[in-house]
Amino acid sequence: MKFIHAADIHLDSPLNGLAAYPDAPAAQLRSATRDALTALVDKALEEEVDFLVIAGDLYDGTWRDYNTGIFFCKEMGRLRRAGIPAYVLFGNHDAESEMTRKLALPDNVKTFGANMPQTFDVPELGVALHGHSFKHKETTDNLAVHYPAPVAGRFNIGVLHTALEGNAAHATYAPCRIDELHARGYQYWALGHVHEFAQWTGATTIVFPGNLQGRNVRECGRRGAVLVTVDDEGHPEVERIFIDILRWEHLEVDASDCRSMAEVSLHIGRAFETVLATDPHVPRAVRVTVTGKTDAHGQLFGLEQQLRSQALAHIASLGNERLWLEKVCLRTSPHLDTSAIHQRMDAFSDLQAIVGAAITDPDFNQSLQTELMSFINKVPAEVQAHLPVLEQVRQGDLASLMDEVAPGLLAHLAHQANHAHQANQGQGE
């Protein structure tokens, strides 16, 4: 017996983070979740699976655009013509969806009830599927404790949308523990809600397949479902299948050995080539974060946009149809020896002393806050919500801002001073 276990399709959910950029793949962003569902059905037909399981969050909340549901019906119709049923459990996003309650689905789509656990017994396959859909979005009860005992002589599958234990990255809907799932006596638990792949083995096999298509840069790397093959003795073998149409990547580029922006740019270009070596047919949306204590920190200070342009030049040479840039972030620190600067007894050491004193000077801090507030008040509210440092300025907490800016400023000025010194030496020669 073979089946595919998928979850968290979030059909027609928007992909966020690229739309503001002129080189963004607008058409692929709009259709990515639909294209991923089509690819999933393609895989089910290719593998000639016995059935498909969707463990929650097929839809994406309160939308009332029935074209989303009609598209799902079209894809399920393809399975219907091949004689493949789909067992669908509704999760927290489905529970608030108009389509979940009102849209008629093809007769090969079997949905688990929301009032109590429901079992689908399929004797011709020797399988029983147990599930309990969400009736309300805010379902915080442990649903797993009410699932029925396993059906004797069947391969028992528990379908459950759950945060499981200790998963802080996701809302704690239908929480339960791994040992509770093992104790239920099923052979396989098909879970949903957590968007990262995870698997546990033991008395039973427990799997989160992850979501089908990453929707933002926080959902990085390969995405898809799992193909489960059950042998004659009832042992499941789990194989990941990668379905994503557009993949998000977060590349951390270590600039520790770099001495200039040109060298940092070269490292970024190599990182792009490396990421494209895996699944080269899948386009990527990439965030680059440059890290490390580096001699290049002074050159990079305040020049994210220039470095972004360098990264875009690398992407242009690799092919804009394969790679898009979401953002470039600088998280470097200087190789700055502040004690050595202090001992120089020159204007640069005086500047360091002034910067150090300014951090604790209440009059300077008040003046700086006043100047910054004239800028902050012009920033749109939706932007302010994503920049915690702006709220720190509002509260008068400028110490962390100064601590972050001062080393970079000193490193930048040190770089400029050294550059000027070398130029003067050259003129003297």
Side-chain angles (χ1 to χ4, degrees), residues 194-307:
V194 174
H195 288 192
E196 301 297 329
F197 171 81
Q199 179 177 344
W200 297 264
T201 56
T204 184
T205 298
I206 304 169
V207 177
F208 280 113
N211 57 339
L212 208 58
Q213 167 62 55
R215 298 174 299 158
N216 53 59
V217 75
R218 294 186 300 277
E219 298 178 346
C220 295
R222 302 168 109 186
R223 300 276 152 172
V226 294
L227 175 66
V228 184
T229 305
V230 182
D231 65 21
D232 292 338
E233 296 181 354
H235 298 137
E237 178 183 338
V238 177
E239 175 190 352
R240 293 190 72 186
I241 52 177
F242 301 107
I243 301 295
D244 48 348
I245 302 301
L246 186 148
R247 188 169 300 162
W248 299 82
E249 305 279 5
H250 187 181
L251 302 182
E252 289 200 4
V253 176
D254 184 3
S256 299
D257 61 347
C258 297
R259 300 181 63 85
S260 67
M261 177 179 285
E263 291 182 12
V264 175
S265 173
L266 187 61
H267 277 43
I268 291 174
R270 289 171 180 163
F272 287 158
E273 292 176 358
T274 299
V275 79
L276 285 174
T278 302
D279 297 338
H281 62 286
V282 180
R284 306 302 214 281
V286 181
R287 174 178 291 184
V288 175
T289 300
V290 183
T291 63
K293 182 175 280 192
T294 172
D295 290 335
H297 181 78
Q299 280 197 39
L300 298 173
F301 182 69
L303 297 178
E304 286 95 338
Q305 282 302 113
Q306 185 174 333
L307 195 59

Side-chain angles (χ1 to χ4, degrees), residues 322-394:
R322 305 172 67 200
L323 202 61
W324 295 276
L325 187 64
E326 187 258 356
K327 185 184 291 186
V328 173
C329 303
L330 289 178
R331 297 290 183 268
T332 57
S333 57
H335 271 143
L336 194 63
D337 186 347
T338 53
S339 61
I341 292 175
H342 185 69
Q343 293 171 6
R344 285 168 51 163
M345 302 298 291
D346 59 9
F348 198 68
S349 65
D350 291 343
L351 176 61
Q352 185 197 23
I354 292 170
V355 170
I359 294 175
T360 57
D361 185 331
D363 292 335
F364 173 80
N365 277 268
Q366 181 61 53
S367 173
L368 179 60
Q369 183 186 22
T370 301
E371 292 291 333
L372 289 175
M373 284 304 300
S374 65
F375 162 73
I376 291 173
N377 289 332
K378 299 176 184 177
V379 176
E382 60 271 18
V383 175
Q384 293 192 33
H386 295 284
L387 294 173
V389 68
L390 300 188
E391 182 58 29
Q392 291 177 342
V393 174
R394 286 185 184 280

